[in-house]
Amino acid sequence: GEHVAASNQKRRAHAGDASQQAAASALAAGTQCHQAGDLAAAEAYYRQALSVIPDLPDALQLLGVARHQQGHSSEALELLERAKALAPHNPNTRINLGSVLNALQRHKEAAQEFRAALTLDPRNAEIWCNLGIALRSEHRNQEAVEAFERAIKLAPKSPLPQRELANLLLAERDYAKCEAVYRPYVDLVPQDAAALSNLAYAVQCQEIGRAHV
């Protein structure tokens, strides 16, 4: 009887190894398709991985991202919540969950996810920028400014936080600071016509202000 039990255990171990290998190769193929922009193929591979191991956090997370990109944000949210429950210390899951919550106009919850991601990866400029977007949507402008500034400090060549901060400063009518942020942004993205127009407006508003004094 003991020999049978041992061989059954071995068989189970082999089956487990085979399942893991099958899921890993489906996941790798899915990621490749995802990076190439083929969302339908990526989704099929991620679902294949989950058919082998239903609680695979990476597959749940990546399928969630793909579904969000396909416009199915509510389903994406469910998948990402499951991934988070299984692997709460993965910053990518928290970032993607925050992005989906932002898209669903649930900015307060999004900000919480981005803050959780920052405890795991505090020097990630993208998370700081996303946090700024969530805070601005909550009308917490001062905190949003600080988040964008942190993002710019960590990634000075990344245009997105500069544009977001400049637009926020323009809305706040802080024209001098707005100009100071727009100038390096326009150097990075000279083809952004809206930014050039906003920069000209910020300069003009300062000149009008000086004329009145």
Side-chain angles (χ1 to χ4, degrees):
E2 282 164 10
H3 288 291
V4 175
S7 64
N8 274 350
Q9 242 172 346
K10 260 184 195 164
R11 254 206 302 275
R12 270 203 298 274
H14 280 306
D17 286 347
S19 300
Q20 279 183 321
Q21 278 174 342
S25 66
L27 201 55
T31 307
Q32 225 168 358
C33 293
H34 205 156
Q35 285 166 343
D38 188 345
L39 293 175
E43 181 192 343
Y45 278 120
Y46 297 147
R47 289 196 189 280
Q48 192 182 320
L50 288 166
S51 72
V52 183
I53 304 179
D55 278 347
L56 191 61
D58 285 346
L60 287 165
Q61 187 221 147
L62 290 165
L63 178 58
V65 173
R67 294 305 279 158
H68 176 52
Q69 289 170 329
Q70 289 165 312
H72 300 283
S73 297
S74 297
E75 186 192 342
L77 190 63
E78 270 173 55
L79 289 159
L80 286 159
E81 290 282 12
R82 275 176 65 197
K84 173 181 146 181
L86 291 161
H89 300 300
N90 182 338
N92 291 336
T93 303
R94 311 301 285 254
I95 296 166
N96 290 323
L97 186 52
S99 298
V100 172
L101 287 163
N102 247 351
L104 291 167
Q105 309 295 313
R106 289 164 64 175
H107 305 298
K108 192 174 185 178
E109 293 162 89
Q112 285 168 348
E113 290 302 329
F114 293 135
R115 287 197 192 284
L118 284 167
T119 63
L120 300 164
D121 188 4
R123 297 190 59 75
N124 186 318
E126 187 193 346
I127 309 175
W128 280 108
C129 185
N130 286 340
L131 175 61
I133 291 168
L135 291 167
R136 184 191 57 207
S137 304
E138 280 273 286
H139 307 293
R140 291 158 67 182
N141 288 358
Q142 191 44 51
E143 289 172 79
V145 166
E146 286 163 19
F148 290 137
E149 284 174 344
R150 288 290 286 274
I152 293 166
K153 208 171 183 178
L154 289 164
K157 293 278 178 248
S158 173
L160 183 62
Q162 294 186 17
R163 190 189 73 199
E164 296 294 339
L165 177 57
N167 287 344
L168 178 54
L169 292 167
L170 189 65
E172 292 267 283
R173 298 181 181 172
D174 190 342
Y175 299 120
K177 211 167 169 190
C178 172
E179 179 191 352
V181 178
Y182 259 135
R183 287 202 182 279
Y185 169 76
V186 166
D187 288 342
L188 287 171
V189 192
Q191 68 277 20
D192 188 336
L196 287 165
S197 161
N198 286 345
L199 171 58
Y201 178 73
V203 171
Q204 193 184 3
C205 287
Q206 288 175 81
E207 282 168 3
I208 292 167
R210 278 194 290 271
H212 281 225
V213 176

